[in-house]
Amino acid sequence: GALVPLLASYTLVKLGVPLFASRYLIITLPMFYLLWAAALAALAARSRPLALAVLVAFILLNGARWAQTALGGMRFHEDWRGAVAYLEQRYVPGDAVLVLHDNAAHAVQYYASKPLALTSLDAGPGQPPNPEKASGMPSAERIWLLAAYFEADDLPPVQRWLDASGGPTPSRPTA
């Protein structure tokens, strides 16, 4: 019985439904922590040292990520508003804008105050971007490639495709 919701969620995510978006944390996080507390209480009833070890491991693992972002200065946040503002200041008709995934395309469209020649290279859930999707893009004097910090691994194939196509060298603002 308990596996049905998990399998349903897994299936929906594999089909491309964005269930695990950060905006849902406000609803799910309290229940997550309550379930953790219940599991720790049940474990403590059997073995107090083991429950303490699990709690310490949980705190250390979560604390390491917090320290990395809060103390180390690394910020894991996309600034699509700033990236689109930067792009719009320099964009001229005839430029093309590439994004690696549909989520980025939605962000660019949301913050854009003027029409942009935007193409998404999204190949579907769990797939790397497909540079061939840009082949239908009209020729451009300049290509802008917008990418989020977490998309860095997806850039080399796109860059190789751009280099091989003989087109203009893209400008790459990062959100």
Side-chain angles (χ1 to χ4, degrees), residues 78-80 82-83 86 145-150 155 171-175:
E78 300 87 31
D79 182 13
W80 290 108
Y86 177 88
L145 178 59
L146 270 73
Y149 70 90
F150 59 85
L155 287 174
S171 301
R172 293 194 296 177
T174 302

Side-chain angles (χ1 to χ4, degrees), residues 78-163:
E78 300 87 31
D79 182 13
W80 290 108
R81 177 181 288 141
V84 171
Y86 177 88
L87 172 66
E88 286 187 328
Q89 288 173 354
R90 291 154 180 82
Y91 182 89
V92 294
D95 285 358
V97 180
L98 293 178
V99 292
L100 302 182
H101 298 286
D102 286 344
N103 288 346
H106 297 310
V108 171
Q109 290 168 341
Y110 180 82
Y111 288 112
S113 62
K114 61 183 178 183
L116 302 170
L118 180 64
T119 301
S120 172
L121 305 180
D122 200 317
Q127 300 297 317
N130 179 5
E132 295 301 320
K133 290 184 86 173
S135 61
M137 178 179 68
S139 63
E141 290 293 319
R142 182 171 49 179
I143 298 174
W144 294 89
L145 178 59
L146 270 73
Y149 70 90
F150 59 85
E151 297 175 317
D153 292 341
D154 292 333
L155 287 174
V158 174
Q159 185 67 50
R160 282 193 300 276
W161 178 83
L162 287 167
D163 292 343

